[in-house]
Amino acid sequence: MHVFVDESRRARYMVAAAIVPMTDLAGMRASLKGLRLPGQQRIHFRKESDRQRRRILSQVVRLSPTVWIFEAPGPEEVARAACLTAMVDDLTVLRPQHLILESRGDHRDRVDRRIIRAALEKSDHGVQYRHLEGRHEPLLWIPDVVAWAHGAGGEWSRRARPLVRKTLILP
């Protein structure tokens, strides 16, 4: 299985991990690419209209990936470190083959890699991990969609609820 990771910032910082079986990768990618509007390179949920958000979220629910959400308070980099560490600790039981994170730029990606490497040292699991830009990996759109919807509350959170199988709120 592969895990795709993105974040959302609200009152708390959230990291969403979309867990996708290897057998579903190609089909899900094709389905997600079909949701782009003409001229779009990628889906970025925050920038979509409400009508398009409903359409996208409905399709993501039909695809039925498993999503885990990790939330933490505090400054972004401190909260991200806590979320990534908890996520890696929890995901090692699933033994994913690949962990793909949305890139935030060279410096921030290096920080992420240090955090992930340190968390993996506690386990015997050798998951491969890397950062990619959202325009290069449609499956990164899933955690973007679910994290945004979960954090928005109300209708959006209700629509995303079938996908969220785990929420860990860190102190």
Side-chain angles (χ1 to χ4, degrees):
M1 79 184 52
H2 292 205
V3 179
F4 300 88
V5 179
D6 198 11
E7 90 279 340
S8 183
R9 290 173 289 279
R10 301 287 178 158
R12 297 171 61 87
Y13 188 86
M14 287 179 280
V15 168
I19 302 158
V20 180
M22 285 184 59
T23 55
D24 296 346
L25 295 173
M28 283 191 182
R29 280 185 183 114
S31 181
L32 290 165
K33 285 179 182 178
L35 294 170
R36 292 176 298 184
L37 296 174
Q40 277 186 318
Q41 288 188 334
R42 63 164 293 178
I43 290 172
H44 196 261
F45 212 57
R46 176 175 54 90
K47 296 179 181 180
E48 303 292 343
S49 69
D50 282 352
R51 181 174 184 223
Q52 181 67 350
R53 284 182 185 140
R54 286 183 188 92
R55 178 177 167 249
I56 293 166
L57 190 50
S58 292
Q59 181 60 28
V60 171
V61 168
R62 279 192 288 280
L63 294 173
S64 195
T66 296
V67 179
W68 291 0
I69 295 181
F70 301 84
E71 298 182 29
E76 179 176 332
E77 294 307 315
V78 173
R80 183 173 179 88
C83 288
L84 288 178
T85 300
M87 179 194 71
V88 170
D89 288 346
D90 285 4
L91 286 172
T92 56
V93 300
L94 298 178
R95 304 192 72 74
Q97 291 178 305
H98 295 278
L99 177 63
I100 298 97
L101 297 92
E102 171 100 26
S103 177
R104 300 182 310 144
D106 287 343
H107 170 70
R108 293 166 123 191
D109 291 354
R110 277 194 299 276
V111 171
D112 285 354
R113 286 191 294 274
R114 278 196 303 269
I115 293 164
I116 293 167
R117 193 170 33 252
L120 285 171
E121 285 176 0
K122 299 174 194 172
S123 74
D124 66 346
H125 184 58
V127 64
Q128 296 178 14
Y129 54 94
R130 64 188 164 134
H131 290 82
L132 290 174
E133 293 181 26
R135 64 188 168 107
H136 296 301
E137 177 50 80
L139 293 170
L140 285 168
W141 306 345
I142 294 171
D144 175 68
V145 166
V146 178
W148 187 96
H150 178 79
E155 168 195 353
W156 301 110
S157 181
R158 280 191 302 279
R159 287 175 176 267
R161 192 168 296 132
L163 302 170
V164 180
R165 306 282 165 69
K166 175 180 190 167
T167 303
L168 181 60
I169 300 175
L170 302 164

